[in-house]
């Protein structure tokens, strides 16, 4: 696969910062990795996973959603609905290749919603995947005022009404998840205190089609420390088995 895709812009004309790890020339799939809320493509678990996938021969693209990292756009406009559109722009740039989408946290919810409308995604991986969006927003940010509050006291991440309203409108992606029939891996740490393991278990318990759940003991929300390598190994093992 070529080393660069050039400039990628979303439907609003905003440039989406991305890094492409070429992988093997004869691989007919491309892995795309999307990050979580307040994150970006350069978070350690994202870069490690991308490097491991590429080393295994799978071309991998990691990117920052608009308004995050070095992508253009305002963070205050960031929300799941807009990020679903951003992911579509990324897939458009990959020229019809078969896609493995791997999403972390809120990026996993983006993957669920995109997969229900986009057949280019052939395999799906959720990492500490957010499912119940309204509950998450209320739990984490319900005490803050949109327009004046911050996400987790981060000055670069103001809490917006756009974000909160979108999370409330979506409510949960559980219903959409039931319509997903492509191979799906859900990886979650047992010590995740941001998105509870129960979110992943709710997906698995409600599925009428096959999906695989992998619990990583004592892993936190970002798979810090030894859990980073274990998470990547579990993903690669499943990808090899699901071919």
């Amino acid at each position: 696969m070529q080393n660069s895709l050039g400039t990628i812009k979303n439907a609003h004309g905003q440039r989406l910062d991305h890094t492409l790890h070429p992988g093997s020339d004869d691989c007919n799939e491309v892995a795309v990795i999307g990050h979580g809320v307040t994150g970006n493509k350069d978070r350690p678990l994202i870069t490690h996973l991308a490097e491991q996938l590429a080393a295994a021969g799978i071309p991998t693209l990691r990117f920052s959603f608009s308004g995050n990292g070095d992508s253009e756009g305002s963070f205050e406009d960031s929300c799941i609905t807009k990020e679903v559109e951003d992911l579509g722009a990324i897939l458009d740039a990959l020229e019809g290749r078969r896609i493995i989408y791997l999403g972390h946290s809120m990026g996993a919810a983006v993957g669920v919603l995109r997969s229900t409308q986009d057949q280019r995604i052939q395999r799906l991986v959720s990492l500490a995947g957010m499912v119940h969006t309204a509950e998450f927003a209320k739990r984490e940010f319900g005490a803050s005022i949109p327009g004046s509050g911050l996400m987790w006291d981060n000055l670069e991440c103001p809490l917006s009404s756009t974000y909160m309203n979108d999370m409330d409108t979506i409510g949960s992606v559980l219903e959409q998840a039931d319509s997903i029939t492509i191979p799906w891996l859900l990886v979650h740490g047992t010590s995740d205190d941001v998105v509870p393991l129960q979110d992943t278990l709710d997906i698995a318990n409600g599925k009428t089609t096959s999906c695989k759940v992998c619990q990583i003991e004592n892993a936190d929300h970002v798979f810090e420390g030894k859990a980073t390598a274990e998470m990547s190994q579990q993903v690669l093992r499943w990808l090899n088995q699901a071919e």
Side-chain angles (χ1 to χ4, degrees), residues 94-165:
L94 290 170
E95 301 176 349
R97 288 178 176 263
R98 297 176 68 244
I99 303 297
I100 307 165
Y101 177 73
L102 307 96
H104 176 244
S105 191
M106 195 171 87
V110 171
V112 170
L113 296 180
R114 189 78 216 181
S115 295
T116 62
Q117 61 181 270
D118 199 324
Q119 295 182 353
R120 292 174 293 186
I121 298 177
Q122 297 291 301
R123 294 196 275 180
L124 183 64
V125 177
S126 295
L127 306 170
M130 182 190 299
V131 175
H132 305 298
T133 60
E135 290 180 9
F136 172 87
K138 182 178 180 180
R139 182 175 65 246
E140 297 295 329
F141 310 125
S144 300
I145 300 173
S148 60
L150 301 172
M151 290 183 170
W152 297 308
D153 298 321
N154 189 335
L155 293 175
E156 296 181 354
C157 301
L159 181 66
S160 70
S161 58
T162 296
Y163 174 84
M164 293 297 283
N165 291 341

